[in-house]
Amino acid sequence: MSSPELVLKVLRSELRAAGVTYKMLAERIGMSESSMKRMFGQKDMSLSRLAEICKASGIAMEDVLRQAADVTPHADTLSLAQEQSLMADPKLLLVAICCLGHWTLEQIIETYHLSEAECVLHLIALDKLDVIELRPLNRYRLKVSPAFHWRADGPVQQYFRDVVVGDYFAGSFDGQGETLLFVPARVSSHSAMEMVQKIQQLAAELARLHQDDRRLRPEERDGFTLLVGFRSWEFSAFTALRRPEAAAPVKGLTHQIHQMGPRKR
């Protein structure tokens, strides 16, 4: 997707969030609704027209351009070497995860036992690792896509399995915006693949909400984590109770959706 297309994609998202329709926008700048739709359909727009539309809809043009820059296609995962570098330093991993959540340097040092100088050094390290692009005043731009996820066979994911999962499930999942589902089912391979596609769509929707909510004040947002597992599986204690003639497990599918996460102060 080209840069003009990205700008228009962000602009459409901002217009939807502001509740501004093509008809409303056309009336405000003296155009017909059909001309407005045609202009957006051309996938290009002059800077002066962009400024006019932003002004008419009450949207800051600099926010549109910034978001377009932030969603410029990048890799969905890090390389194995990048992940290994993060795992070699727990504080670097912490700062990296904070950056993935779009925390500012000020928020990081106010929340964790890190000095400003120490945090800046970690930001410089992340810049060298090509995870972020460090900018003046210790601001940064992520160099991973909104659909970023850790490598399935990587060291970070393995660390999560060994250490983090137990800590994650220690929660009660009864807070506002939290839920825990454990749903067993017997379905065909075709249906299982359909579920995988829907889970991927769910992850994409969470990435979109994460991006959209960046416009809110920090105190209006909290840290949530979505952990999804879907595989053919039988609880080992149940397998131990099988009759000898039924030793081969009858494949069942278990779908788990968990939503929770570390909170900011």
Side-chain angles (χ1 to χ4, degrees):
M1 187 178 292
S2 66
S3 296
E5 287 179 284
L6 285 170
V7 171
L8 285 178
K9 181 180 179 180
V10 172
L11 181 57
R12 289 191 192 96
S13 177
E14 290 294 302
L15 289 171
R16 284 196 298 269
V20 179
T21 64
Y22 285 146
K23 182 179 180 180
M24 294 166 60
L25 187 58
E27 291 174 350
R28 293 178 187 180
I29 63 177
M31 292 178 63
S32 67
E33 184 178 359
S34 59
S35 296
M36 180 63 66
K37 290 181 178 178
R38 187 163 53 251
M39 180 174 61
F40 273 87
Q42 291 174 347
K43 299 182 179 180
D44 199 355
M45 184 180 294
S46 68
L47 195 59
S48 59
R49 180 65 78 181
L50 175 63
E52 182 182 20
I53 289 176
C54 288
K55 182 178 180 180
S57 56
I59 297 171
M61 187 171 73
E62 55 269 27
D63 287 345
V64 172
L65 296 176
R66 174 183 56 78
Q67 289 187 53
D70 288 345
V71 300
T72 299
H74 291 296
D76 291 342
T77 61
L78 300 180
S79 68
L80 178 60
Q82 286 173 309
E83 287 201 6
Q84 289 172 335
S85 295
L86 295 181
M87 287 303 302
D89 185 343
K91 290 185 177 180
L92 181 61
L93 177 62
L94 169 63
V95 175
I97 291 176
C98 287
C99 288
L100 291 172
H102 300 286
W103 288 38
T104 65
L105 179 142
E106 292 77 16
Q107 289 172 327
I108 297 173
I109 62 178
E110 286 173 2
T111 304
Y112 297 106
H113 288 294
L114 291 170
S115 67
E116 180 176 350
E118 191 175 12
C119 193
V120 169
L121 287 175
H122 288 314
L123 291 176
I124 293 173
L126 291 174
D127 180 86
K128 291 180 178 179
L129 285 172
D130 214 28
V131 176
I132 66 172
E133 177 187 316
L134 191 57
R135 294 179 170 179
L137 301 177
N138 296 318
R139 300 306 184 224
Y140 61 86
R141 180 173 70 88
L142 285 173
K143 300 187 74 173
V144 295
S145 80
F148 171 81
H149 56 275
W150 300 108
R151 298 174 64 90
D153 57 349
V156 177
Q157 188 92 312
Q158 188 59 50
Y159 175 74
F160 286 165
R161 288 174 177 170
D162 295 342
V163 179
V164 179
V165 170
D167 186 56
Y168 181 85
F169 284 111
S172 57
F173 294 86
D174 58 0
Q176 184 176 7
E178 297 179 359
T179 186
L180 171 64
L181 300 176
F182 185 89
V183 185
R186 289 181 57 76
V187 297
S188 67
S189 296
H190 175 77
S191 296
M193 289 305 302
E194 184 177 339
M195 278 302 306
V196 170
Q197 292 176 353
K198 291 184 181 298
I199 290 171
Q200 292 171 341
Q201 292 170 3
L202 176 63
E205 177 65 10
L206 181 59
R208 183 191 66 79
L209 293 172
H210 174 69
Q211 191 73 19
D212 289 350
D213 284 355
R214 289 182 61 191
R215 68 172 64 88
L216 300 177
R217 298 189 303 274
E219 59 270 21
E220 294 181 280
R221 296 175 290 158
D222 202 351
F224 286 83
T225 298
L226 178 71
L227 174 61
V228 181
F230 186 71
R231 70 183 181 98
S232 178
W233 171 76
E234 182 181 62
F235 183 37
S236 59
F238 295 166
T239 303
L241 295 174
R242 283 183 170 272
R243 297 178 183 275
E245 60 271 22
V250 177
K251 289 192 174 183
L253 291 164
T254 300
H255 179 209
Q256 307 168 46
I257 295 183
H258 322 292
Q259 183 178 2
M260 192 179 163
R263 300 183 179 277
K264 297 178 184 176
R265 280 198 318 142

